[in-house]
Each structure stands twice: as structure tokens, then as C-alpha cells.
Amino acid sequence: MTIFLGEIIGTALLIFLGDGVVANVVLNKTKGSGSGWIVIAFGWGLAVFVGVFVAGPISGAHINPAVTLALAVNRQFPWSKVLPYMAAQFIGAFLASALIYVVYVEAIDAYEVAVAQEIVVQESTEEVTEVMAVTAEESPPRTMKTAGIWATYPRQFSTRRWISNWSGFLDQVVGTALLLLCICALTDERNMAPKSNLAPLLIGAVVLMIGMSMGANCAYAINPARDLSPRLFTWLAGWGDQVFRSPNTTWYLVPIMGPFLGGIIGVQLYRLMISRWHSEEEPESADG
């Protein structure tokens, strides 16, 4: 039970802090409004650091189903614990998504009112007679502009075409493979692994680097729990099934299946290209 709670807490911290940064950047009249992608990437990197630092001593802080599955496939984690760990991760992500909504609901309402009024102005220029009246006191309809606070969606190019599912899938496979490759290197004592209190910061730095280098296509979910649980929350909280239909009915599978495959590839690459060449001798301690 302690390990289960550790994964819930670690994943909840990751999602709450990461999505909180996104909300702060996306919504109007916030301190971080419009501050851009660099702030989001740094925010997610630090969120990973916090989640791993807090939950690490309790559960090992996988906080990512792709990490759990990849380590199990590589025989570094018992299969009997895979489903409990994943359940904890998805639960933690969902709870954090709900908490983000509670914290930011008034700002979300204000943002949606502004969006609705902007649509009304645009439509009025086309002599539309029926105008949707939206006031600050009413609950405005939820749009995809705010759904992106929680889940990841593909990039739309200037040609108004969306990035394809296959390109997005490749993006998620590569990004998660890099994540697991680096995690393996940072936690392998035969590979100059840092001390345990420094590893969470370096893993966060890896996520920051992946975000800055690979965040353009589909916002680098690289974590099925980070995407599916928040998407489920928005579906239940008023955004409806548009969160599963935008931009098409199969996109939501990309940030779920891609990370699972990418994680397995990442640990196998590390095993085949790095760890197999290590000496079988135990590493010497710092005390000699």
C-alpha cells in the first residue's frame, strides 16, 4: 500500500505542477500569460524532478506507465507489480487533473467567455442574426483552447493541416526511447550514476531537454498517464467527447501507444549498446 500511495503522490505532483504551468501560460491575465514554450518546458522538467524526488524513496518513482512496462520487459521490475503501479499512476494523474480544475476554474471561465465573445464579434461581421450571449456569471461552453491545458494535441501547420498520426506516433516513440535510455544511464551504478539525491534533478533535466528539442510536433507527452487521465477528466468535466475526436478519432491513441513502444525500445537500446559492455564486477564504493 505504501508503494501504491507513493506512485499516486509522485504522479499527482508531476501532473499538477506540469499542467499548472501550462494553465498559467495559456490563460489570460495570469502572471505567466503568453510567456511561451520555454517556460512550459522548464516547468515540466522541474515537475518531474519534484515527483521523482518525493516518491523515489518510497516507490522508485516510475510516475510513468511507459517506464514501468519497459523495466518489466527488461526484467528489471517484477511483472506482478506492473498493474498496481500503472493503476496508481493513472489515479494520481486523474486526481491532479481535478485539482488543477478547482484551482483554475474561474480563470478558465473568464478565458472561455473572452473566446465566445470573440466568436460573436467575428460572426456579427457576417450579419449573423442570432448572437450567443455569454456573461461572466454564466458557465461558458468549453473549447479545445483550454482542453490543451490537460492533454496533448497535434500541431496545426500554417497550411491549416494537422501533423499526421504517424508522425506524431514516431515523435512519441523517439522521445520516450530517449527518456528511458537516459534514465537507464542515470540509474546504472556501472555507468557513472549520480548519487541518489542528484538523480531526480538530472532526470528532470532530461525531460526539459526532450521538451525543448521535441516539443514542437505534439507537446511531448512521453507518458501515457500524463495524457490519458487528464483527457478523461476533461471529457467528464464539460469538454465532452471533442477531446477524443480532435483532430481525428484516433489521435488520442498516439500519446498512449507511442510512449509504451518507445520505452521498450529505449531500455533495449541501452542494454544492447551500453550495459552489455560493462564489467560484471561490482562497482567500487566511494570509500574504496
Side-chain angles (χ1 to χ4, degrees), residues 8-251:
I8 289 178
I9 293 170
T11 311
L13 284 170
L14 165 66
I15 302 304
F16 179 78
L17 296 174
D19 281 348
V21 171
V22 178
N24 196 17
V25 171
V26 169
L27 299 173
N28 290 334
K29 307 297 184 181
T30 60
K31 296 296 185 181
S33 179
S35 52
W37 180 250
I38 299 299
V39 171
I40 292 176
F42 267 93
W44 276 107
L46 291 173
V48 169
F49 159 65
V50 172
V52 174
F53 191 84
V54 171
I58 303 172
S59 66
H62 292 186
I63 62 176
N64 183 340
V67 173
T68 300
L69 179 63
L71 294 180
V73 169
N74 204 42
R75 300 179 181 178
Q76 295 176 261
F77 188 74
W79 280 101
S80 61
K81 294 183 179 180
V82 169
L83 289 181
Y85 262 61
M86 287 187 179
Q89 292 151 4
F90 283 110
I91 290 170
F94 189 89
L95 294 176
S97 299
L99 185 57
I100 282 289
Y101 182 80
V102 172
V103 170
Y104 277 105
V105 63
E106 292 184 0
I108 292 168
D109 284 345
Y111 184 91
E112 299 287 29
V113 166
V115 170
Q117 290 174 344
E118 180 181 345
I119 293 173
V120 168
V121 170
Q122 292 173 350
E123 289 181 342
S124 65
T125 61
E126 300 173 4
E127 298 181 353
V128 175
T129 57
E130 295 183 3
V131 175
M132 179 175 60
V134 179
T135 67
E137 289 74 26
E138 295 175 343
S139 180
R142 300 305 187 205
T143 67
M144 294 305 297
K145 292 180 180 292
T146 51
I149 292 173
W150 282 271
T152 61
Y153 296 91
R155 176 186 180 187
Q156 187 176 29
F157 298 105
S158 57
T159 58
R160 302 193 67 78
R161 289 185 58 190
W162 298 91
I163 189 171
S164 70
N165 285 11
W166 285 111
S167 292
F169 182 78
L170 177 62
D171 176 281
Q172 291 297 290
V173 169
V174 172
T176 315
L178 290 174
L179 173 64
L180 266 295
L181 178 69
C182 293
I183 288 176
C184 288
L186 289 169
T187 56
D188 186 352
E189 293 185 358
R190 299 175 301 171
N191 197 60
M192 298 189 300
K195 293 183 178 180
S196 59
N197 59 353
L198 184 58
L201 181 61
L202 295 179
I203 292 172
V206 170
V207 172
L208 165 63
M209 192 66 250
I210 293 173
M212 294 179 69
S213 62
M214 298 192 65
N217 285 335
C218 44
Y220 81 114
I222 59 176
N223 182 338
R226 176 264 176 274
D227 193 90
L228 180 58
S229 289
R231 195 182 301 270
L232 283 170
F233 172 79
T234 53
W235 173 57
L236 295 171
W239 279 263
D241 64 357
Q242 64 177 329
V243 301
F244 287 101
R245 293 186 291 102
S246 180
N248 57 64
T249 56
T250 56
W251 169 263

